[in-house]
Each structure stands twice: as C-alpha cells, then as structure tokens.
Amino acid sequence: MESVRAVLVDIDGVLTVSWRPLPGAVEALREIRDAGLAVLLVTNTTSRTRASIAGTLVDAGFPVSAEDILTAPAATAAHLAEHCPGARCALLNSGDIAEDLGGVTVVDAADSGAADSGTVPDVVLVGGAGPEFGYAALDRAFGHLQRGARLVAMHRNLYWRTADGLRLDSGAFLAGLEQAARVEAEITGKPARAFFEAALARLGVGAGEAVMVGDDVESDVLAAQRAGITGVLVRTGKFQPEVLQAADGTPDHVIDSFADLPALLPGSAQQ
C-alpha cells in the first residue's frame, strides 16, 4: 500500500446508507484527504446527478464536490458518444439523470407510456430499478431489442442496501432481457474495466497507485483488482459473508468499515 496515491470509493453502502453517513466515514475521508491522497467517488447510483449527490454529501459533512464524483450515467454518456454517436435511446431508469447523460438523445422513456412519434430507438439504455420497471416498460424494451436495438446497461447490480434492508435492482431485470432477446448488454459502470480506467485517467494515476473501496465484492472489489487496482472490501452496506465466500476471487483486504481504511494508507495518522 506504500505506493498508493489515490483512493476510489463507492458511496452507497461504504460512505452512506440511504444517504445517511456511516459511523466514522466523514472523519476517515477527511483524514485521507489530509494525508495528501487523491480521492474519487465512483458510483453506480443512477437516481441522482453528480451535483445532487455532492450536495447531499456536503450537507452530511463530507469534503467533496461534484468534480470528485464519477457516476455510471456520466460514464454511459461518454461511452455512447464514442461508440454510437447520435444514437436514439430508450431509457429505462428510475430517477432524473438528464444532466449527467449530457447529449444523449432519449426518444422513449420508461415513464412516457410509449415511444415518441413511433421513433424506433437505436439503443435500449438500462439504468437503476424502481417503479418504472413494470411489465409494459420491460415488454416495450424487449420489442426494441427484437427490432435490432443495442442493449447498454449502466450496471449489473442485483440489489442495494437501504435503511429498510436490501432492495432489488436492475441487474435482475437485465438478465431477463438478455436471455429473452438473446443479446448481451454492454456495461458502462462498475464492473466494466473501462469505468475503472476512466477513474484512473481522471486522477492521473496508474492502476498500481490506486485502491478501490467497496461493499460489492464482485462489481467493486474483484472488478477493480482485475484492472490492476488494489481492492478493499468493507463489511457494511450490501456485504454478506456468504457472498464473499462464494466469490470468484479474494479481496486484497477486508475491513469492518470505511472508518478503518486510513490505517492501511500511507501518510495516515492511524498508520
């Protein structure tokens, strides 16, 4: 860990649960910044924009700004601009993320009831789950895929942790769409390698100089390790011992919470 210059941090389940700070998280993030380490919050959250997330975190005491956050929707906008510029998208998502999607053209939204003017989209774009993921919206997305639309998903998360317990996420619906339409989704957020590479590029560091902290052993930690980044799993958020035991690999480090991270890092007072 002596070579670490930057820390990538998941938000939900690591810093907060239901947007409430976990014990010691604010103080730990301040200590990491005081140690001179670069910090980027990397999240698959698809219900809020970077500005909205930053505002909530600042109100809770975290020393962050919108520029310190990389979201799956922002990464999706970059992916679409590079790989299918000008594509018309059918968006299946819960929450307002238009600001982070930038120039993405949405011609069919999950809450619109029908495609605009009968326009056939080029891409079915799947974000995070919510009330919008009803039969009619999923069946309409299935129809678009049958007509040749590409399937792009912001993540594969099966569930996330709230103050009321685990909640089903869009990965469960995505698997059904893939199997029914016989297509494979292009993933733009975690665990995509390109997402982690974009985070490293944002901070100007190499994979061997970064550590990724998350509560999802597969999408956060092992995916980061496959990209050459040191992986740290926290026992908060969606962490479940049985999921860790059944995982395809072993995290570099497992700690009780984000509050314990500074002790692992160079320049920390705890170290």
Side-chain angles (χ1 to χ4, degrees), residues 18-90:
S18 294
W19 300 106
R20 296 172 185 167
L22 287 167
V26 171
E27 294 79 7
L29 189 59
R30 289 188 180 279
E31 184 172 348
I32 290 167
R33 285 203 179 278
D34 289 344
L37 299 173
V39 173
L40 186 66
L41 308 187
V42 289
T43 177
N44 278 348
T45 296
T46 54
S47 60
R48 297 188 179 202
T49 63
R50 294 188 308 149
S52 173
I53 293 170
T56 298
L57 293 178
V58 168
D59 289 344
F62 288 101
V64 299
S65 70
E67 294 304 310
D68 298 320
I69 302 171
L70 176 62
T71 65
T76 299
H79 174 87
L80 292 173
E82 179 179 356
H83 297 283
C84 37
R88 298 160 299 177
C89 298

Side-chain angles (χ1 to χ4, degrees), residues 14 22-25 213 232-236 255-262:
V14 178
L22 287 167
V213 189
V232 179
L233 179 67
V234 293
R235 296 189 183 96
T236 56
I255 57 179
D256 286 337
S257 73
F258 185 73
D260 298 318
L261 182 67

Side-chain angles (χ1 to χ4, degrees), residues 8-9 11 47 84-85 88 92 107-108 111 113 121 128-129 141 147 150 153 197 211 233 244-245 248 263:
L8 310 181
V9 187
I11 299 174
S47 60
C84 37
R88 298 160 299 177
L92 185 55
V107 298
D108 180 8
D111 58 0
R147 289 185 287 273
R150 296 169 66 166
E197 291 174 344
V211 59
L233 179 67
L244 173 58
Q245 188 173 16
D248 292 333

